[in-house]
Amino acid sequence: MFKSKRSLTISLEAVVFEDGTAIGPDPDNKILRWRALENAERDVFAAAVESPGAFPENAAGWIHEAEAEADLYFKNKLPVEDAMLLAATRHAMEYQDIYRLFKGYKAWRVLRSLDSLGGR
């Protein structure tokens, strides 16, 4: 496909390293959001495994915090899970806010999965 071309130029917009650090422009905060999602998912799953008995209460707290954050954008106009996810992916701009929203969303998903399996 490229045999007939004289040259090929490849440019990198950003580089994300194995430890999660990144360099390069990130005008839409996509790298920041990706990092917040990855950290929130890791932290929620670790909490579920390390302290399963305390997990439902902890998760409820994270969900409550995320709901309060999502209410800043949607004022209870969306189902809680949609509001948390949409606020994290589109509206929140600071890492801690995005992380809080994703953590609540992931906790909500884990609790919902446990309920459907009869594990809570």
Side-chain angles (χ1 to χ4, degrees):
M1 173 150 93
F2 296 112
K3 288 181 182 179
S4 64
K5 304 294 180 193
R6 288 186 176 265
S7 66
L8 176 65
T9 303
I10 298 173
S11 64
L12 297 175
E13 293 296 321
V15 177
V16 179
F17 297 98
E18 187 175 349
D19 68 354
T21 58
I23 57 172
D26 188 20
D28 299 327
N29 285 335
K30 289 179 182 172
I31 296 170
L32 185 74
R33 292 176 199 291
W34 169 79
R35 191 173 320 150
L37 172 61
E38 183 177 321
N39 290 338
E41 189 170 72
R42 179 200 62 226
D43 293 347
V44 168
F45 291 154
V49 170
E50 292 168 8
S51 302
F55 181 77
E57 184 176 339
N58 291 336
W62 301 328
I63 293 166
H64 178 71
E65 290 175 3
E67 286 176 329
E69 183 75 29
D71 279 349
L72 296 174
Y73 306 102
F74 298 110
K75 306 286 187 224
N76 295 316
K77 293 180 182 174
L78 293 173
V80 65
E81 67 276 14
D82 293 342
M84 288 186 290
L85 186 58
L86 286 173
T89 59
R90 296 187 185 158
H91 300 289
M93 292 299 184
E94 300 296 323
Y95 173 85
Q96 286 297 4
D97 298 336
I98 298 165
Y99 172 82
R100 185 173 25 267
L101 287 158
F102 277 136
K103 190 172 184 180
Y105 177 74
K106 289 297 180 178
W108 180 86
R109 297 285 306 208
V110 170
L111 286 180
R112 187 168 172 174
S113 293
L114 289 172
D115 286 345
S116 72
L117 297 171
R120 186 161 60 127

